[in-house]
Amino acid sequence: MRVLHFVTGGFSGATKVAIDLVEAHNEIESTENLLVLRRKKTTVPEKFAELEEKDIDYEVVTGITHMATIHELKKLCEQWRPDILVAHGFPEHLLGRRAGLLAKVPYLVQVEHNSQERYTPWKLYQTRKLSKSTASIIAVSEGVAQVLSGQGLKAPIQAIPNGIDTTRFGGMNLLPINERPQDLIMVGRYAKSKDHVTLIEALHQLKQKSIKPNLTLVGSGRKYYQKEIHNLVERYELHDQVTFIGYSSEVDKLLLQHKVFVMSSRFEGLNLAVLEAMASGCVVVGSQAIGVKELIEDKEDGFLFPIGDAAELAGIIETILSNPSNYQVLATAAREKVLSYYDETRVTKAYHDLFQKLLSGS
């Protein structure tokens, strides 16, 4: 079985899922895997070190224009001759499947990683047309599957929720919440959808009440949004409370130092950072966005707040930090949930089972 995974080279959540799948499936003797990245501005050499350390075979195709991407990927498919092409995310699933069709790849698989994408009428027409030649469409959460079901697609849709490496995040001897030295952390790329603004607004409201928790922001992303958040922090004079960390390969260590994880996103597919924080024993606070709210049972294993509601978020943070040990039970329940339902071994097996089913024609 030869499987080619095509995904953005922006090293987003979709890229991480593709990397995890390739790494896991490389352990299966009967499977050969190739990761193909579409070059982005953030596709820098230092990010390839992780792939090389994991012995992942990868190629990078141009991202200059869509037609150029399709042309290079088509040529690569003709050379490598995959049995299955798995195209992750938007617009990569359009480009990847078009290239796969031109190269006569036997089976095409679309993986949708988000609940809201920039589908113009033309793009929606393309994805509907491509679905007729697609063997399977995978949604990374039930919420995403529901969105896809309304697009008029012809291929079968199934949900395979994303998972994480539970051997990396957490551990056996986690510090209890009240003994962790840092207060708040958010891990996520800088983009409008992540809505860092609401979190900074909440921090500002807390400061006006003389409550001054520290906050660590981890992630890279669009310079425009990074500048917006830096400017907002300066405007509210929160620079003594906020620490900015760019792309980090040590998120697992950072999470263990923090009491509360916040995800203020406006929409997601299924947020891996939330799962990582839950596995790490943080008290998790998330917005009611698709891809976040289905991971958290409010006041049972975390907290939910309305999208964009800084006042509600500030109130939740104040409540938790006033007596963190009261919420240890929520953090423990969240970790147990991830260990039971969101371990990546379940995910990689589900993908491999699907690939075998496609090749067997069953």
Side-chain angles (χ1 to χ4, degrees):
M1 181 193 305
R2 293 168 70 85
V3 183
L4 185 153
H5 290 264
F6 176 60
V7 68
T8 174
F11 286 81
S12 63
T15 317
K16 184 180 185 303
V17 171
I19 291 171
D20 288 346
L21 288 171
V22 171
E23 182 183 19
H25 291 168
N26 277 347
E27 299 298 317
I28 302 171
E29 288 186 5
S30 60
T31 305
E32 294 180 67
N33 303 279
L34 178 64
L35 179 70
V36 181
L37 304 170
R38 181 167 77 102
R39 188 176 294 280
K40 307 280 282 188
K41 289 181 180 179
T42 51
T43 311
V44 291
E46 52 264 33
K47 292 185 179 180
F48 298 142
E50 175 190 356
L51 305 180
E52 290 160 4
E53 287 173 8
K54 294 179 177 181
D55 291 325
I56 289 175
D57 291 331
Y58 70 91
E59 298 283 349
V60 180
V61 296
T62 184
I64 293 176
T65 66
H66 286 184
M67 290 306 298
T69 299
I70 292 167
H71 176 70
E72 285 196 12
L73 183 57
K74 171 184 175 288
K75 287 177 60 178
L76 186 57
C77 287
E78 289 171 340
Q79 293 166 6
W80 200 71
R81 300 181 65 82
D83 300 303
I84 301 171
L85 187 152
V86 186
H88 295 260
F90 178 88
E92 282 74 18
H93 73 73
L94 298 176
L95 307 179
R97 286 183 292 167
R98 286 176 66 186
L101 274 177
L102 292 170
K104 297 181 171 57
V105 175
Y107 298 99
L108 305 178
V109 176
Q110 172 193 347
V111 184
E112 185 66 85
H113 288 267
N114 221 327
S115 59
Q116 292 186 37
E117 291 290 4
R118 301 180 300 277
Y119 281 105
T120 62
W122 169 237
K123 298 294 186 185
L124 189 56
Y125 168 78
Q126 288 184 56
T127 196
R128 286 172 177 161
K129 185 175 181 180
L130 284 166
S131 71
K132 297 175 183 178
S133 305
T134 301
S136 182
I137 298 174
I138 298 171
V140 299
S141 70
E142 293 293 346
V144 172
Q146 291 174 15
V147 171
L148 290 174
S149 67
Q151 290 185 353
L153 306 178
K154 302 302 180 182
I157 301 168
Q158 71 176 97
I160 301 180
N162 284 339
I164 63 165
D165 181 357
T166 56
T167 64
R168 177 186 172 196
F169 291 91
M172 297 302 295
N173 299 305
L174 299 179
L175 278 178
I177 298 302
N178 62 312
E179 293 182 20
R180 298 188 176 199
Q182 305 298 320
D183 298 321
L184 310 175
I185 184 170
M186 177 172 169
V187 180
R189 74 184 190 281
Y190 288 92
K192 186 176 182 180
S193 63
K194 297 298 182 184
D195 196 12
H196 291 75
V197 170
T198 291
L199 176 53
I200 300 303
E201 292 284 356
L203 208 63
H204 174 57
Q205 292 184 24
L206 289 170
K207 182 180 179 181
Q208 291 178 315
K209 299 171 67 174
S210 298
I211 300 169
K212 300 179 181 180
N214 56 63
L215 167 66
T216 304
L217 294 176
V218 185
S220 56
R222 295 192 177 185
K223 299 296 183 183
Y224 172 84
Y225 291 114
Q226 290 186 51
K227 185 177 180 181
E228 179 184 13
I229 299 307
H230 277 270
N231 289 344
L232 195 59
V233 167
E234 289 300 316
R235 191 172 102 200
Y236 290 148
E237 298 182 345
L238 296 170
H239 45 272
D240 291 339
Q241 294 174 238
V242 181
T243 299
F244 291 92
I245 298 176
Y247 176 81
S248 174
S249 60
E250 297 191 336
V251 170
D252 52 334
K253 297 181 178 65
L254 290 168
L255 289 171
L256 295 175
Q257 299 171 20
H258 289 78
K259 299 178 180 72
V260 181
F261 176 91
V262 178
M263 179 48 64
S264 52
S265 187
R266 292 186 172 273
F267 59 86
E268 293 285 346
L270 187 140
N271 191 279
L272 293 174
V274 170
L275 294 178
E276 292 168 354
M278 292 169 77
S280 301
C282 302
V283 178
V284 175
V285 182
S287 68
Q288 293 174 346
I290 291 175
V292 176
K293 66 180 180 180
E294 65 191 79
L295 300 177
I296 301 168
E297 189 170 350
D298 192 34
K299 299 182 180 63
E300 296 292 328
D301 50 32
F303 290 91
L304 291 170
F305 67 94
I307 294 170
D309 192 334
E312 182 70 17
L313 175 57
I316 292 170
I317 292 170
E318 179 182 358
T319 298
I320 297 170
L321 294 182
S322 66
N323 196 341
S325 58
N326 283 352
Y327 303 95
Q328 182 63 55
V329 63
L330 273 68
T332 300
R335 174 165 166 75
E336 290 174 353
K337 176 192 279 187
V338 174
L339 293 176
S340 297
Y341 299 108
Y342 293 101
D343 187 279
E344 68 178 7
T345 56
R346 287 173 172 258
V347 182
T348 56
K349 183 180 184 303
Y351 274 83
H352 190 258
D353 288 348
L354 171 63
F355 298 161
Q356 286 188 313
K357 183 177 179 181
L358 292 178
L359 291 180
S360 68
S362 59

